[in-house]
Amino acid sequence: MFVKVTHSGARSYVQLVEAYRDDAGRPKQRTVATLGRLDQLSSELESVISGLMRVTGKSAPAAAAAAPSLSFESARDFGDVWALTELWNSLGFGGLRRVFRRTRHAIDVEALIRVMVLNRLCDPQSKLGVLRWVQTVALPGTMAESIEHQHLLRAMDALVEHQDEVDAVLAGLLRPLVDQDLAVVFYDMTTIRAAGLSEQDGEVRRFGMSKEGVVARQVMLGVVQTAEGLPLYHEVFDGNTAEVQTLKPTLQKIVARYPVKRVIAVADRGLLSVDNLEELKTITLPGGGRLEFILAVPGRRYGEFAELLGPLHSSDFAQAEHEVLAESRWNDLRLIVAHDPKAAAHATAQRDALIATLEQQAAQWVGKLDAQDAGTPGRGRKLSDGGARARMFHAVCEAHMARIVRVDLKSQLFSYSIDERALAHARLMDGKLLLATNAADLSPCEVVARYKSLADIERGFRVLKSEIEIGPIHHRLPDRIRAHATICFIALILHRVMRTRLRATSPTCSPERALAKLRRIQHHRVSINAAQPVAGLSSIDQEQAAILAALTVNKPSLNNQLTLL
């Protein structure tokens, strides 16, 4: 038997129906009882059900339990700040706590500096932006709700007040990572754009030529790093400081802080001058040894080497099909010359194409001038010899060909000439790299390889300007600018340590990608039936576990962990 609902007009009835077969074996149904109208059944039907359950010996089902009341707080990023905090402590940055413990500051300066450093790596923002960022992350061992903007500024002031002690702590934690027998030190400078128009005492924001090729208000940042890309030292200079004046004092600080037995300083073209070379020769290491260096000769000074390079080119480079190295002497130094025939052919072809374009433009202007003199009007405005001369001079300057294509600015008629001697000299220098060094035991190949490694410090500058976003600087006070640079420098140290450890296991995984993956490990808080909230972490997948293992960082954990799937 079964229950059936039948309809009669607008009303519905509940019936108990029996299925059976007639004498011919055909299936039939008959109504055993009508239980009543569907809209009027209530307790009567409940009693029937209870009676049937009692007769059959079955118990009535228990009432469904009420669903618990759940209250979830917003999830917070945890995995990235956990990994960076573990690196911070394992590398020894916690030593900063001892520096500021003896100060008059009531705030936890070390914790606030750590928060600002982690922010530069995770989500770089202004100091006010840091306050918004800490509301989205779960910082281990830090009460983010108690951080105020003035606390961050006071921490920056304390950082500058105790800069020497801070530098000593940084040198102490970096010293075990530096090769004691041979430290190849790379030094370079970059420009950091600075905002604001006010003037302060001891101003470091000065107008100067930026690396982008425009005059802007800026500061200069010098960075020293090892061949492995580990930053050792930084310093902020006025925005109009000449690079050559910074090399000697910076290197003197390096040799005083790091007891290396040998230092080879590698610097770019902008740092080479005759006076600079003489000063570098006078620097001695703490152990009494001399400072060794590898400096690139700037292209604007290649003319001084024309007589020296002419015989070398004829004997060693003219018939070369692959990169060739040669050595000579200059100013009592070794001069290493590298020649790349493919780069030389490319540079020569580009120059010849530019000259051909300029000559074609000049021919068009000459043709128009001749037609005007013959009385044949041309299209457009009338052209004069002075106008053609000005256009040609502008085009030559735009193409950086003023040394080769000489426009006669004093002539009444439009004229120009190709300086064949300058053109031959330019072709002689194509594809060449000139390096001056006093390192006697390095082969020419090793000298070139050391210099080419300087490109890594350029990548470090790109990290500072892109991932860490050191600029533009919106601080006004010089000390705050220096503190901001120190915070970004510490962030660069953590970034490079992460890069080194990740490369050992996964060459394709960058620090940025690793932090993005770890950021998906999130901190949750849930309250059940208005009870005390329970904290937990999202699950850790295999890729995240591999990143943590590569960084030699323990997996995140909480005292009362609730894993939420």
Side-chain angles (χ1 to χ4, degrees):
M1 287 187 290
F2 58 92
V3 176
K4 181 180 179 182
V5 178
T6 60
H7 304 280
S8 177
R11 297 176 179 177
S12 299
Y13 297 88
V14 180
Q15 296 177 334
L16 187 63
V17 179
E18 178 185 16
Y20 69 98
R21 292 182 181 273
D22 60 9
D23 295 339
R26 290 173 296 185
K28 297 286 185 177
Q29 294 180 355
R30 58 188 171 206
T31 301
V32 176
T34 299
L35 302 179
R37 285 168 50 180
L38 181 61
D39 57 340
Q40 295 178 348
L41 289 176
S42 57
S43 60
E44 295 86 351
L45 188 58
E46 291 292 336
S47 62
V48 172
I49 294 174
S50 299
L52 292 173
M53 297 290 294
R54 186 172 57 256
V55 170
T56 57
K58 297 181 180 180
S59 59
S69 173
L70 299 178
S71 176
F72 291 90
E73 297 182 8
S74 298
R76 297 185 176 221
D77 298 339
F78 185 74
D80 52 350
V81 292
W82 166 275
L84 290 172
T85 302
E86 290 289 297
L87 282 176
W88 177 278
N89 294 326
S90 64
L91 291 174
F93 285 102
L96 295 174
R97 195 174 296 112
R98 294 191 299 271
V99 173
F100 299 110
R101 187 179 296 160
R102 301 186 296 270
T103 66
R104 57 179 175 81
H105 299 280
I107 56 176
D108 190 347
V109 177
E110 183 270 340
L112 293 171
I113 293 173
R114 170 162 45 89
V115 168
M116 290 185 281
V117 169
L118 268 56
N119 173 256
R120 305 318 299 181
L121 291 166
C122 297
D123 186 18
Q125 298 185 29
S126 66
K127 301 307 176 287
L128 282 173
V130 172
L131 301 180
R132 296 187 291 269
W133 173 73
V134 296
Q135 302 302 320
T136 66
V137 298
L139 290 165
T142 303
M143 296 298 293
E145 295 77 7
S146 63
I147 299 177
E148 300 179 7
H149 184 233
Q150 63 166 332
H151 295 159
L152 300 177
L153 298 181
R154 298 290 84 77
M156 295 177 71
D157 294 340
L159 186 61
V160 175
E161 290 174 9
H162 303 276
Q163 187 70 57
D164 291 340
E165 294 93 327
V166 171
D167 289 343
V169 171
L170 296 181
L173 65 91
L174 290 172
R175 195 173 292 119
L177 306 177
V178 178
D179 186 353
Q180 299 296 308
D181 295 324
L182 175 61
V184 180
V185 177
F186 297 89
Y187 177 68
D188 203 356
M189 297 188 71
T190 191
T191 57
I192 308 297
R193 193 73 60 88
L197 299 175
S198 63
E199 290 289 336
Q200 308 295 326
D201 293 337
E203 184 66 80
V204 295
R205 298 173 299 170
R206 301 293 182 185
F207 284 94
M209 183 62 69
S210 69
K211 294 295 184 179
E212 292 77 22
V214 297
V215 176
R217 198 174 197 191
Q218 61 188 17
V219 299
M220 301 287 289
L221 179 67
V223 174
V224 181
Q225 73 173 33
T226 66
E228 293 76 24
L230 184 66
L232 295 178
Y233 178 75
H234 82 286
E235 189 166 351
V236 174
F237 301 95
D238 291 355
N240 57 0
T241 303
E243 296 185 26
V244 295
Q245 300 174 4
T246 66
L247 182 57
K248 181 180 178 181
T250 300
L251 292 179
Q252 285 177 329
K253 294 175 183 177
I254 288 296
V255 298
R257 292 184 181 186
Y258 298 95
V260 293
K261 298 178 182 178
R262 182 182 185 187
V263 173
I264 301 179
V266 183
D268 209 350
R269 294 173 171 87
L271 295 167
L272 179 67
S273 70
V274 175
D275 295 337
N276 220 20
L277 288 174
E278 295 303 320
E279 290 184 354
L280 289 177
K281 293 177 182 178
T282 64
I283 298 178
T284 57
L285 303 181
R290 63 172 183 167
L291 173 72
E292 297 173 282
F293 53 83
I294 300 173
L295 299 180
V297 177
R300 65 181 181 274
R301 298 192 56 182
Y302 276 17
E304 303 174 21
F305 300 86
E307 295 183 1
L308 186 65
L309 292 178
L312 281 177
H313 184 83
S314 301
S315 61
D316 297 338
F317 304 146
Q319 305 301 323
E321 297 181 358
H322 304 285
E323 185 172 353
V324 181
L325 301 178
E327 182 175 348
S328 184
R329 300 291 299 180
W330 173 74
N331 280 6
D332 295 328
L333 297 173
R334 296 174 63 197
L335 181 68
I336 309 299
V337 183
H339 177 74
D340 186 345
K342 293 182 179 179
H346 180 69
T348 300
Q350 279 190 321
R351 185 187 304 104
D352 291 345
L354 283 175
I355 294 175
T357 300
L358 291 172
E359 290 182 318
Q360 183 179 4
Q361 290 177 343
Q364 292 176 355
W365 293 325
V366 169
K368 187 171 184 177
L369 289 172
D370 290 343
Q372 290 177 173
D373 292 341
T376 305
R379 297 179 60 184
R381 298 177 59 182
K382 186 177 180 179
L383 182 65
S384 66
D385 286 276
R389 183 168 54 249
R391 290 186 183 183
M392 185 65 175
F393 182 73
H394 178 74
V396 168
C397 292
E398 286 289 318
H400 303 287
M401 288 290 172
R403 294 185 179 181
I404 298 174
V405 181
R406 302 295 181 90
V407 181
D408 191 348
L409 300 177
K410 297 181 180 180
S411 173
Q412 293 295 325
L413 299 178
F414 168 52
S415 65
Y416 73 94
S417 62
I418 303 295
D419 190 331
E420 296 295 339
R421 181 177 179 182
L423 180 59
H425 176 263
R427 288 173 175 168
L428 177 66
M429 299 303 170
D430 284 343
K432 290 182 175 60
L433 171 66
L434 277 62
L435 301 174
T437 180
N438 63 344
D441 59 337
L442 295 181
S443 67
C445 185
E446 290 174 326
V447 172
V448 173
R450 297 292 191 191
Y451 175 75
K452 289 183 177 180
S453 297
L454 184 64
D456 191 59
I457 199 170
E458 295 292 343
R459 286 189 286 270
F461 284 142
R462 287 197 293 271
V463 170
L464 278 173
K465 293 183 178 182
S466 56
E467 283 82 1
I468 298 177
E469 294 186 16
I470 190 173
I473 298 174
H474 294 278
H475 294 285
R476 297 181 300 108
L477 303 179
D479 284 348
R480 296 269 174 84
I481 293 175
R482 294 186 178 93
H484 175 74
T486 300
I487 289 169
C488 294
F489 178 76
I490 295 175
L492 181 62
I493 293 175
L494 288 173
H495 185 280
R496 287 307 178 93
V497 171
M498 288 184 64
R499 187 190 69 165
T500 301
R501 296 185 180 182
L502 290 170
R503 279 184 173 180
T505 57
S506 179
T508 61
C509 186
S510 65
E512 294 76 33
R513 181 178 179 184
L515 291 175
K517 294 289 184 182
L518 295 177
R519 196 170 297 127
R520 292 162 52 188
I521 304 174
Q522 296 196 323
H523 181 276
H524 305 267
R525 281 168 62 89
V526 59
S527 178
I528 303 176
N529 292 332
Q532 279 292 109
V534 179
L537 300 179
S538 53
S539 300
I540 301 174
D541 59 29
Q542 282 188 330
E543 186 176 14
Q544 293 165 341
I547 292 173
L548 293 171
L551 296 175
T552 63
V553 169
N554 295 325
K555 291 184 178 180
S557 62
L558 295 176
N559 293 334
N560 297 317
Q561 181 172 341
L562 173 63
T563 302
L564 302 179
L565 301 178

